[in-house]
Amino acid sequence: MKVKVDDLEFEKMISFEAIEKRTAELGAILTEQYQDSLPVFLGVLNGCFVFMADLVKQVPVPCQIAFMKLSSYRGGLESTREIIEELDLKIDIAGRDVILVEDIVDTGNTLRYLVDKLRALKPKSIKVCALLYKPDAMEHEIPEMQYIGFEIENKFVVGYGLDYKEQGRNLKDIYQLVK
């Protein structure tokens, strides 16, 4: 099935059913690993909101939820490599276990920036839970990346929170750009 988002055409890559199944698996792992903690799930807006909502429903341990907003794409198909902080962290994470929830990790530039920023706030631990990971695009070593939903090819994707020109986030499935 193909969909049009703004001026581009996309084809289904990952079904909602597969996303649901993998999210439940990740939730079970996080539940086991953080059952004796009060972790902070820190979402990176806007893309993480769908995944994070579904993920935290799979983790029945006491937790807190917070958000930050960073941007580096600004409507295009490639990162501008300039990171802009649009919403800063509003809670104290010192001494806390932080689970950084990302929709997608490609070059790792934004994630490396964010992990370094959070480290300065002295949390007990930082682990990254990313729905999608593009290993062929990665430019940084990020040992904090511990939980990955799906490894995908280095293709532009939309749906399930991911966008193109702020559109397509509401699609249930994940779609890749048709070339």
Side-chain angles (χ1 to χ4, degrees):
M1 179 175 132
K2 293 184 181 177
V3 297
K4 188 163 184 167
V5 178
D6 197 64
D7 58 339
L8 297 177
E9 192 171 77
F10 295 82
E11 61 188 5
K12 191 183 290 188
M13 177 186 225
I14 304 171
S15 71
F16 176 68
E17 293 75 22
I19 297 167
E20 268 188 319
K21 181 177 186 249
R22 185 64 182 134
T23 301
E25 292 168 356
L26 290 169
I29 293 166
L30 293 169
T31 297
E32 182 181 322
Q33 293 188 355
Y34 291 94
Q35 63 186 333
D36 297 324
S37 177
L38 179 64
V40 176
F41 284 86
L42 176 56
V44 182
L45 294 171
N46 285 341
C48 82
F49 81 101
V50 176
F51 174 52
M52 185 157 161
D54 288 346
L55 179 66
V56 297
K57 287 185 276 186
Q58 300 294 325
V59 184
V61 300
C63 64
Q64 287 185 298
I65 296 171
F67 294 94
M68 293 180 73
K69 185 172 183 183
L70 305 172
S71 65
S72 67
Y73 270 77
R74 294 189 271 301
L77 295 176
E78 293 182 18
S79 173
T80 63
R81 298 191 179 275
E82 177 190 359
I83 299 166
I84 295 177
E85 291 184 41
E86 298 178 25
L87 175 66
D88 203 2
L89 183 62
K90 303 293 184 202
I91 66 169
D92 182 10
I93 62 168
R96 305 287 304 278
D97 290 312
V98 175
I99 303 162
L100 188 55
V101 181
E102 277 275 23
D103 55 349
I104 188 165
V105 176
D106 46 30
T107 65
N109 289 324
T110 301
L111 185 56
R112 176 79 275 145
Y113 171 88
L114 185 53
V115 168
D116 290 346
K117 178 183 172 89
L118 295 175
R119 281 252 175 262
L121 300 175
K122 305 203 182 315
K124 179 180 176 185
S125 70
I126 299 173
K127 300 289 169 87
V128 177
C129 181
L131 175 62
L132 302 175
Y133 170 51
K134 297 180 182 179
D136 292 340
M138 194 66 158
E139 298 174 1
H140 299 273
E141 187 174 317
I142 303 177
E144 294 84 2
M145 279 190 53
Q146 298 291 310
Y147 315 105
I148 296 169
F150 301 92
E151 285 190 10
I152 63 171
E153 293 179 49
N154 191 12
K155 296 186 177 187
F156 191 82
V157 293
V158 298
Y160 198 74
L162 295 121
D163 76 296
Y164 170 61
K165 294 184 178 178
E166 294 298 328
Q167 298 174 51
R169 292 187 195 279
N170 59 319
L171 298 169
K172 280 179 61 172
D173 306 298
I174 294 174
Y175 294 81
Q176 67 183 0
L177 181 63
V178 175
K179 290 252 177 179

